[in-house]
PDB file of all heavy atoms in Angstrom:
ATOM      1  N   VAL A   1      88.533  74.488 103.927  1.00 96.00           N
ATOM      2  CA  VAL A   1      87.771  75.430 103.112  1.00 96.00           C
ATOM      3  C   VAL A   1      86.829  74.631 102.225  1.00 96.00           C
ATOM      4  O   VAL A   1      87.238  73.697 101.530  1.00 96.00           O
ATOM      5  CB  VAL A   1      88.706  76.315 102.265  1.00 96.00           C
ATOM      6  CG1 VAL A   1      87.893  77.284 101.402  1.00 96.00           C
ATOM      7  CG2 VAL A   1      89.663  77.081 103.163  1.00 96.00           C
ATOM      8  N   LEU A   2      85.547  75.023 102.264  1.00 97.00           N
ATOM      9  CA  LEU A   2      84.488  74.332 101.523  1.00 97.00           C
ATOM     10  C   LEU A   2      83.918  75.247 100.450  1.00 97.00           C
ATOM     11  O   LEU A   2      83.861  76.465 100.618  1.00 97.00           O
ATOM     12  CB  LEU A   2      83.360  73.935 102.482  1.00 97.00           C
ATOM     13  CG  LEU A   2      83.773  73.148 103.712  1.00 97.00           C
ATOM     14  CD1 LEU A   2      82.622  73.072 104.698  1.00 97.00           C
ATOM     15  CD2 LEU A   2      84.239  71.761 103.316  1.00 97.00           C
ATOM     16  N   LYS A   3      83.454  74.647  99.362  1.00 97.00           N
ATOM     17  CA  LYS A   3      82.839  75.409  98.282  1.00 97.00           C
ATOM     18  C   LYS A   3      81.328  75.385  98.451  1.00 97.00           C
ATOM     19  O   LYS A   3      80.688  74.347  98.324  1.00 97.00           O
ATOM     20  CB  LYS A   3      83.220  74.831  96.933  1.00 97.00           C
ATOM     21  CG  LYS A   3      82.591  75.586  95.774  1.00 97.00           C
ATOM     22  CD  LYS A   3      83.166  75.156  94.466  1.00 97.00           C
ATOM     23  CE  LYS A   3      82.555  75.851  93.278  1.00 97.00           C
ATOM     24  NZ  LYS A   3      82.217  77.238  93.421  1.00 97.00           N
ATOM     25  N   ALA A   4      80.761  76.548  98.744  1.00 94.00           N
ATOM     26  CA  ALA A   4      79.308  76.686  98.784  1.00 94.00           C
ATOM     27  C   ALA A   4      78.815  76.798  97.337  1.00 94.00           C
ATOM     28  O   ALA A   4      79.566  77.230  96.460  1.00 94.00           O
ATOM     29  CB  ALA A   4      78.915  77.928  99.580  1.00 94.00           C
ATOM     30  N   PRO A   5      77.567  76.436  97.052  1.00 93.00           N
ATOM     31  CA  PRO A   5      77.072  76.498  95.675  1.00 93.00           C
ATOM     32  C   PRO A   5      77.119  77.903  95.063  1.00 93.00           C
ATOM     33  O   PRO A   5      77.339  78.052  93.876  1.00 93.00           O
ATOM     34  CB  PRO A   5      75.632  76.021  95.779  1.00 93.00           C
ATOM     35  CG  PRO A   5      75.543  75.297  97.061  1.00 93.00           C
ATOM     36  CD  PRO A   5      76.578  75.897  97.958  1.00 93.00           C
ATOM     37  N   GLU A   6      76.902  78.911  95.875  1.00 94.00           N
ATOM     38  CA  GLU A   6      76.958  80.293  95.426  1.00 94.00           C
ATOM     39  C   GLU A   6      77.629  81.126  96.510  1.00 94.00           C
ATOM     40  O   GLU A   6      77.627  80.749  97.671  1.00 94.00           O
ATOM     41  CB  GLU A   6      75.551  80.838  95.169  1.00 94.00           C
ATOM     42  CG  GLU A   6      74.830  80.143  94.040  1.00 94.00           C
ATOM     43  CD  GLU A   6      73.465  80.733  93.764  1.00 94.00           C
ATOM     44  OE1 GLU A   6      73.224  81.912  94.074  1.00 94.00           O
ATOM     45  OE2 GLU A   6      72.626  79.994  93.227  1.00 94.00           O
ATOM     46  N   GLY A   7      78.171  82.249  96.135  1.00 93.00           N
ATOM     47  CA  GLY A   7      78.791  83.140  97.106  1.00 93.00           C
ATOM     48  C   GLY A   7      80.183  82.688  97.496  1.00 93.00           C
ATOM     49  O   GLY A   7      80.776  81.817  96.866  1.00 93.00           O
ATOM     50  N   PRO A   8      80.705  83.303  98.548  1.00 95.00           N
ATOM     51  CA  PRO A   8      82.080  83.004  98.952  1.00 95.00           C
ATOM     52  C   PRO A   8      82.207  81.612  99.563  1.00 95.00           C
ATOM     53  O   PRO A   8      81.222  81.018 100.002  1.00 95.00           O
ATOM     54  CB  PRO A   8      82.381  84.084  99.999  1.00 95.00           C
ATOM     55  CG  PRO A   8      81.053  84.482 100.525  1.00 95.00           C
ATOM     56  CD  PRO A   8      80.081  84.312  99.394  1.00 95.00           C
ATOM     57  N   PRO A   9      83.418  81.069  99.599  1.00 96.00           N
ATOM     58  CA  PRO A   9      83.630  79.796 100.271  1.00 96.00           C
ATOM     59  C   PRO A   9      83.413  79.919 101.779  1.00 96.00           C
ATOM     60  O   PRO A   9      83.369  81.026 102.320  1.00 96.00           O
ATOM     61  CB  PRO A   9      85.090  79.457  99.954  1.00 96.00           C
ATOM     62  CG  PRO A   9      85.717  80.693  99.463  1.00 96.00           C
ATOM     63  CD  PRO A   9      84.636  81.623  99.025  1.00 96.00           C
ATOM     64  N   VAL A  10      83.296  78.772 102.415  1.00 96.00           N
ATOM     65  CA  VAL A  10      83.116  78.706 103.862  1.00 96.00           C
ATOM     66  C   VAL A  10      84.354  78.043 104.443  1.00 96.00           C
ATOM     67  O   VAL A  10      84.759  76.968 103.999  1.00 96.00           O
ATOM     68  CB  VAL A  10      81.844  77.910 104.220  1.00 96.00           C
ATOM     69  CG1 VAL A  10      81.735  77.698 105.719  1.00 96.00           C
ATOM     70  CG2 VAL A  10      80.605  78.628 103.686  1.00 96.00           C
ATOM     71  N   THR A  11      84.965  78.703 105.431  1.00 96.00           N
ATOM     72  CA  THR A  11      86.170  78.191 106.058  1.00 96.00           C
ATOM     73  C   THR A  11      85.852  77.736 107.475  1.00 96.00           C
ATOM     74  O   THR A  11      85.406  78.536 108.298  1.00 96.00           O
ATOM     75  CB  THR A  11      87.267  79.277 106.087  1.00 96.00           C
ATOM     76  OG1 THR A  11      87.573  79.658 104.752  1.00 96.00           O
ATOM     77  CG2 THR A  11      88.525  78.766 106.770  1.00 96.00           C
ATOM     78  N   LEU A  12      86.070  76.469 107.740  1.00 96.00           N
ATOM     79  CA  LEU A  12      85.914  75.919 109.084  1.00 96.00           C
ATOM     80  C   LEU A  12      87.232  76.133 109.808  1.00 96.00           C
ATOM     81  O   LEU A  12      88.291  75.778 109.278  1.00 96.00           O
ATOM     82  CB  LEU A  12      85.599  74.423 109.015  1.00 96.00           C
ATOM     83  CG  LEU A  12      84.423  74.013 108.132  1.00 96.00           C
ATOM     84  CD1 LEU A  12      84.334  72.496 108.047  1.00 96.00           C
ATOM     85  CD2 LEU A  12      83.126  74.613 108.635  1.00 96.00           C
ATOM     86  N   LEU A  13      87.185  76.729 110.996  1.00 92.00           N
ATOM     87  CA  LEU A  13      88.426  76.975 111.728  1.00 92.00           C
ATOM     88  C   LEU A  13      88.192  76.935 113.214  1.00 92.00           C
ATOM     89  O   LEU A  13      87.074  77.130 113.686  1.00 92.00           O
ATOM     90  CB  LEU A  13      89.054  78.312 111.339  1.00 92.00           C
ATOM     91  CG  LEU A  13      88.527  79.574 112.021  1.00 92.00           C
ATOM     92  CD1 LEU A  13      89.569  80.661 111.933  1.00 92.00           C
ATOM     93  CD2 LEU A  13      87.248  80.044 111.387  1.00 92.00           C
ATOM     94  N   ASN A  14      89.262  76.657 113.935  1.00 89.00           N
ATOM     95  CA  ASN A  14      89.254  76.729 115.385  1.00 89.00           C
ATOM     96  C   ASN A  14      90.222  77.837 115.770  1.00 89.00           C
ATOM     97  O   ASN A  14      91.430  77.636 115.756  1.00 89.00           O
ATOM     98  CB  ASN A  14      89.676  75.409 116.015  1.00 89.00           C
ATOM     99  CG  ASN A  14      89.655  75.473 117.530  1.00 89.00           C
ATOM    100  OD1 ASN A  14      89.627  76.539 118.128  1.00 89.00           O
ATOM    101  ND2 ASN A  14      89.655  74.320 118.161  1.00 89.00           N
ATOM    102  N   PRO A  15      89.680  79.023 116.131  1.00 82.00           N
ATOM    103  CA  PRO A  15      90.572  80.124 116.488  1.00 82.00           C
ATOM    104  C   PRO A  15      91.135  80.027 117.893  1.00 82.00           C
ATOM    105  O   PRO A  15      91.797  80.952 118.357  1.00 82.00           O
ATOM    106  CB  PRO A  15      89.668  81.348 116.337  1.00 82.00           C
ATOM    107  CG  PRO A  15      88.307  80.827 116.648  1.00 82.00           C
ATOM    108  CD  PRO A  15      88.288  79.406 116.130  1.00 82.00           C
ATOM    109  N   GLY A  16      90.879  78.926 118.574  1.00 81.00           N
ATOM    110  CA  GLY A  16      91.339  78.803 119.957  1.00 81.00           C
ATOM    111  C   GLY A  16      90.598  79.810 120.819  1.00 81.00           C
ATOM    112  O   GLY A  16      89.450  80.113 120.583  1.00 81.00           O
ATOM    113  N   GLY A  17      91.266  80.348 121.789  1.00 74.00           N
ATOM    114  CA  GLY A  17      90.640  81.314 122.676  1.00 74.00           C
ATOM    115  C   GLY A  17      90.760  82.745 122.195  1.00 74.00           C
ATOM    116  O   GLY A  17      90.311  83.659 122.857  1.00 74.00           O
ATOM    117  N   GLY A  18      91.363  82.946 121.034  1.00 81.00           N
ATOM    118  CA  GLY A  18      91.599  84.297 120.540  1.00 81.00           C
ATOM    119  C   GLY A  18      90.408  84.907 119.839  1.00 81.00           C
ATOM    120  O   GLY A  18      89.380  84.264 119.616  1.00 81.00           O
ATOM    121  N   GLU A  19      90.558  86.161 119.482  1.00 86.00           N
ATOM    122  CA  GLU A  19      89.527  86.856 118.726  1.00 86.00           C
ATOM    123  C   GLU A  19      89.477  86.316 117.303  1.00 86.00           C
ATOM    124  O   GLU A  19      90.470  85.823 116.783  1.00 86.00           O
ATOM    125  CB  GLU A  19      89.849  88.355 118.637  1.00 86.00           C
ATOM    126  CG  GLU A  19      89.543  89.133 119.884  1.00 86.00           C
ATOM    127  CD  GLU A  19      89.695  90.612 119.626  1.00 86.00           C
ATOM    128  OE1 GLU A  19      90.849  91.063 119.572  1.00 86.00           O
ATOM    129  OE2 GLU A  19      88.669  91.294 119.459  1.00 86.00           O
ATOM    130  N   TRP A  20      88.327  86.453 116.686  1.00 86.00           N
ATOM    131  CA  TRP A  20      88.191  86.040 115.308  1.00 86.00           C
ATOM    132  C   TRP A  20      87.088  86.841 114.659  1.00 86.00           C
ATOM    133  O   TRP A  20      86.297  87.489 115.330  1.00 86.00           O
ATOM    134  CB  TRP A  20      87.938  84.537 115.215  1.00 86.00           C
ATOM    135  CG  TRP A  20      86.612  84.105 115.762  1.00 86.00           C
ATOM    136  CD1 TRP A  20      86.232  84.143 117.068  1.00 86.00           C
ATOM    137  CD2 TRP A  20      85.502  83.621 115.033  1.00 86.00           C
ATOM    138  NE1 TRP A  20      84.947  83.683 117.205  1.00 86.00           N
ATOM    139  CE2 TRP A  20      84.472  83.355 115.955  1.00 86.00           C
ATOM    140  CE3 TRP A  20      85.273  83.366 113.691  1.00 86.00           C
ATOM    141  CZ2 TRP A  20      83.234  82.856 115.583  1.00 86.00           C
ATOM    142  CZ3 TRP A  20      84.034  82.859 113.331  1.00 86.00           C
ATOM    143  CH2 TRP A  20      83.039  82.610 114.267  1.00 86.00           C
ATOM    144  N   SER A  21      87.050  86.810 113.347  1.00 92.00           N
ATOM    145  CA  SER A  21      86.023  87.503 112.579  1.00 92.00           C
ATOM    146  C   SER A  21      85.110  86.473 111.945  1.00 92.00           C
ATOM    147  O   SER A  21      85.519  85.345 111.686  1.00 92.00           O
ATOM    148  CB  SER A  21      86.673  88.340 111.469  1.00 92.00           C
ATOM    149  OG  SER A  21      87.542  89.295 112.018  1.00 92.00           O
ATOM    150  N   GLY A  22      83.889  86.867 111.656  1.00 92.00           N
ATOM    151  CA  GLY A  22      82.945  85.961 111.007  1.00 92.00           C
ATOM    152  C   GLY A  22      83.181  85.835 109.509  1.00 92.00           C
ATOM    153  O   GLY A  22      82.673  84.925 108.868  1.00 92.00           O
ATOM    154  N   PHE A  23      83.951  86.760 108.933  1.00 94.00           N
ATOM    155  CA  PHE A  23      84.256  86.736 107.504  1.00 94.00           C
ATOM    156  C   PHE A  23      85.475  87.601 107.263  1.00 94.00           C
ATOM    157  O   PHE A  23      85.940  88.289 108.166  1.00 94.00           O
ATOM    158  CB  PHE A  23      83.068  87.256 106.672  1.00 94.00           C
ATOM    159  CG  PHE A  23      82.779  88.712 106.891  1.00 94.00           C
ATOM    160  CD1 PHE A  23      83.312  89.676 106.045  1.00 94.00           C
ATOM    161  CD2 PHE A  23      81.978  89.125 107.943  1.00 94.00           C
ATOM    162  CE1 PHE A  23      83.068  91.024 106.250  1.00 94.00           C
ATOM    163  CE2 PHE A  23      81.713  90.468 108.152  1.00 94.00           C
ATOM    164  CZ  PHE A  23      82.260  91.423 107.307  1.00 94.00           C
ATOM    165  N   ASN A  24      85.987  87.571 106.034  1.00 95.00           N
ATOM    166  CA  ASN A  24      87.024  88.532 105.684  1.00 95.00           C
ATOM    167  C   ASN A  24      86.783  89.103 104.299  1.00 95.00           C
ATOM    168  O   ASN A  24      86.044  88.533 103.500  1.00 95.00           O
ATOM    169  CB  ASN A  24      88.441  87.971 105.840  1.00 95.00           C
ATOM    170  CG  ASN A  24      88.795  86.887 104.874  1.00 95.00           C
ATOM    171  OD1 ASN A  24      88.067  86.572 103.953  1.00 95.00           O
ATOM    172  ND2 ASN A  24      89.934  86.275 105.081  1.00 95.00           N
ATOM    173  N   PHE A  25      87.374  90.259 104.062  1.00 97.00           N
ATOM    174  CA  PHE A  25      87.327  90.910 102.767  1.00 97.00           C
ATOM    175  C   PHE A  25      88.558  90.510 101.974  1.00 97.00           C
ATOM    176  O   PHE A  25      89.595  90.192 102.547  1.00 97.00           O
ATOM    177  CB  PHE A  25      87.362  92.442 102.928  1.00 97.00           C
ATOM    178  CG  PHE A  25      86.184  93.014 103.649  1.00 97.00           C
ATOM    179  CD1 PHE A  25      86.311  93.449 104.963  1.00 97.00           C
ATOM    180  CD2 PHE A  25      84.957  93.145 103.017  1.00 97.00           C
ATOM    181  CE1 PHE A  25      85.236  94.001 105.633  1.00 97.00           C
ATOM    182  CE2 PHE A  25      83.876  93.696 103.681  1.00 97.00           C
ATOM    183  CZ  PHE A  25      84.013  94.125 104.993  1.00 97.00           C
ATOM    184  N   HIS A  26      88.461  90.589 100.659  1.00 97.00           N
ATOM    185  CA  HIS A  26      89.624  90.389  99.803  1.00 97.00           C
ATOM    186  C   HIS A  26      90.077  91.739  99.256  1.00 97.00           C
ATOM    187  O   HIS A  26      89.257  92.583  98.900  1.00 97.00           O
ATOM    188  CB  HIS A  26      89.306  89.464  98.628  1.00 97.00           C
ATOM    189  CG  HIS A  26      90.480  89.270  97.723  1.00 97.00           C
ATOM    190  ND1 HIS A  26      90.683  90.030  96.597  1.00 97.00           N
ATOM    191  CD2 HIS A  26      91.532  88.433  97.816  1.00 97.00           C
ATOM    192  CE1 HIS A  26      91.803  89.660  96.021  1.00 97.00           C
ATOM    193  NE2 HIS A  26      92.340  88.686  96.737  1.00 97.00           N
ATOM    194  N   ALA A  27      91.386  91.929  99.222  1.00 97.00           N
ATOM    195  CA  ALA A  27      92.010  93.079  98.580  1.00 97.00           C
ATOM    196  C   ALA A  27      93.136  92.541  97.703  1.00 97.00           C
ATOM    197  O   ALA A  27      93.818  91.591  98.098  1.00 97.00           O
ATOM    198  CB  ALA A  27      92.568  94.056  99.613  1.00 97.00           C
ATOM    199  N   PRO A  28      93.353  93.113  96.534  1.00 97.00           N
ATOM    200  CA  PRO A  28      94.457  92.636  95.697  1.00 97.00           C
ATOM    201  C   PRO A  28      95.812  92.726  96.392  1.00 97.00           C
ATOM    202  O   PRO A  28      96.683  91.897  96.153  1.00 97.00           O
ATOM    203  CB  PRO A  28      94.411  93.562  94.480  1.00 97.00           C
ATOM    204  CG  PRO A  28      92.997  94.058  94.428  1.00 97.00           C
ATOM    205  CD  PRO A  28      92.559  94.138  95.868  1.00 97.00           C
ATOM    206  N   ASP A  29      95.982  93.707  97.272  1.00 97.00           N
ATOM    207  CA  ASP A  29      97.238  93.896  97.994  1.00 97.00           C
ATOM    208  C   ASP A  29      96.910  94.286  99.435  1.00 97.00           C
ATOM    209  O   ASP A  29      96.446  95.395  99.686  1.00 97.00           O
ATOM    210  CB  ASP A  29      98.066  94.986  97.309  1.00 97.00           C
ATOM    211  CG  ASP A  29      99.416  95.207  97.955  1.00 97.00           C
ATOM    212  OD1 ASP A  29      99.534  95.090  99.199  1.00 97.00           O
ATOM    213  OD2 ASP A  29     100.363  95.524  97.227  1.00 97.00           O
ATOM    214  N   ALA A  30      97.136  93.366 100.365  1.00 97.00           N
ATOM    215  CA  ALA A  30      96.779  93.615 101.768  1.00 97.00           C
ATOM    216  C   ALA A  30      97.542  94.800 102.353  1.00 97.00           C
ATOM    217  O   ALA A  30      96.992  95.571 103.128  1.00 97.00           O
ATOM    218  CB  ALA A  30      97.012  92.363 102.612  1.00 97.00           C
ATOM    219  N   ALA A  31      98.802  94.962 101.990  1.00 97.00           N
ATOM    220  CA  ALA A  31      99.593  96.075 102.527  1.00 97.00           C
ATOM    221  C   ALA A  31      99.023  97.421 102.086  1.00 97.00           C
ATOM    222  O   ALA A  31      98.936  98.360 102.879  1.00 97.00           O
ATOM    223  CB  ALA A  31     101.054  95.942 102.097  1.00 97.00           C
ATOM    224  N   THR A  32      98.592  97.515 100.840  1.00 97.00           N
ATOM    225  CA  THR A  32      97.982  98.744 100.329  1.00 97.00           C
ATOM    226  C   THR A  32      96.654  99.008 101.037  1.00 97.00           C
ATOM    227  O   THR A  32      96.362 100.145 101.427  1.00 97.00           O
ATOM    228  CB  THR A  32      97.773  98.649  98.807  1.00 97.00           C
ATOM    229  OG1 THR A  32      99.045  98.480  98.186  1.00 97.00           O
ATOM    230  CG2 THR A  32      97.091  99.882  98.257  1.00 97.00           C
ATOM    231  N   ALA A  33      95.841  97.963 101.218  1.00 98.00           N
ATOM    232  CA  ALA A  33      94.555  98.114 101.910  1.00 98.00           C
ATOM    233  C   ALA A  33      94.774  98.553 103.357  1.00 98.00           C
ATOM    234  O   ALA A  33      94.042  99.404 103.872  1.00 98.00           O
ATOM    235  CB  ALA A  33      93.778  96.799 101.865  1.00 98.00           C
ATOM    236  N   ARG A  34      95.784  98.003 103.996  1.00 98.00           N
ATOM    237  CA  ARG A  34      96.099  98.362 105.381  1.00 98.00           C
ATOM    238  C   ARG A  34      96.476  99.840 105.475  1.00 98.00           C
ATOM    239  O   ARG A  34      95.979 100.571 106.332  1.00 98.00           O
ATOM    240  CB  ARG A  34      97.225  97.473 105.905  1.00 98.00           C
ATOM    241  CG  ARG A  34      97.574  97.700 107.355  1.00 98.00           C
ATOM    242  CD  ARG A  34      98.636  96.686 107.807  1.00 98.00           C
ATOM    243  NE  ARG A  34      98.981  96.924 109.177  1.00 98.00           N
ATOM    244  CZ  ARG A  34      99.902  97.810 109.580  1.00 98.00           C
ATOM    245  NH1 ARG A  34     100.579  98.520 108.686  1.00 98.00           N
ATOM    246  NH2 ARG A  34     100.144  97.983 110.868  1.00 98.00           N
ATOM    247  N   ALA A  35      97.348 100.287 104.580  1.00 98.00           N
ATOM    248  CA  ALA A  35      97.753 101.697 104.572  1.00 98.00           C
ATOM    249  C   ALA A  35      96.551 102.605 104.317  1.00 98.00           C
ATOM    250  O   ALA A  35      96.418 103.669 104.941  1.00 98.00           O
ATOM    251  CB  ALA A  35      98.830 101.924 103.517  1.00 98.00           C
ATOM    252  N   TRP A  36      95.663 102.202 103.434  1.00 97.00           N
ATOM    253  CA  TRP A  36      94.457 102.964 103.111  1.00 97.00           C
ATOM    254  C   TRP A  36      93.578 103.136 104.351  1.00 97.00           C
ATOM    255  O   TRP A  36      93.072 104.218 104.619  1.00 97.00           O
ATOM    256  CB  TRP A  36      93.712 102.233 101.986  1.00 97.00           C
ATOM    257  CG  TRP A  36      92.536 102.936 101.405  1.00 97.00           C
ATOM    258  CD1 TRP A  36      92.540 103.911 100.442  1.00 97.00           C
ATOM    259  CD2 TRP A  36      91.167 102.695 101.721  1.00 97.00           C
ATOM    260  NE1 TRP A  36      91.261 104.294 100.146  1.00 97.00           N
ATOM    261  CE2 TRP A  36      90.383 103.551 100.919  1.00 97.00           C
ATOM    262  CE3 TRP A  36      90.513 101.827 102.593  1.00 97.00           C
ATOM    263  CZ2 TRP A  36      89.000 103.581 100.970  1.00 97.00           C
ATOM    264  CZ3 TRP A  36      89.134 101.850 102.643  1.00 97.00           C
ATOM    265  CH2 TRP A  36      88.392 102.721 101.842  1.00 97.00           C
ATOM    266  N   LEU A  37      93.412 102.058 105.131  1.00 98.00           N
ATOM    267  CA  LEU A  37      92.607 102.131 106.356  1.00 98.00           C
ATOM    268  C   LEU A  37      93.292 102.987 107.423  1.00 98.00           C
ATOM    269  O   LEU A  37      92.629 103.745 108.131  1.00 98.00           O
ATOM    270  CB  LEU A  37      92.325 100.723 106.887  1.00 98.00           C
ATOM    271  CG  LEU A  37      91.292  99.942 106.078  1.00 98.00           C
ATOM    272  CD1 LEU A  37      91.388  98.454 106.376  1.00 98.00           C
ATOM    273  CD2 LEU A  37      89.887 100.471 106.364  1.00 98.00           C
TER     274      LEU A  37
END
C-alpha cells in the first residue's frame, strides 16, 4: 500500500486469475453495509 499525495492510497496487488475490483469503498461496518445492499 502506497501513499499518494492526495486522495486515497494505492494498493499494488496480484489477484491471480480471479476477479478483482479497481477500487473499494470504505464503510464503518462491513456487515451492516452488506445487509444494507
Side-chain angles (χ1 to χ4, degrees):
V1 179
L2 307 168
K3 179 170 179 38
E6 295 182 25
V10 173
T11 299
L12 307 174
L13 83 158
N14 181 343
E19 282 189 284
W20 67 292
S21 300
F23 66 95
N24 68 7
F25 296 105
H26 179 266
D29 183 325
T32 299
R34 184 176 179 275
W36 187 82
L37 286 162

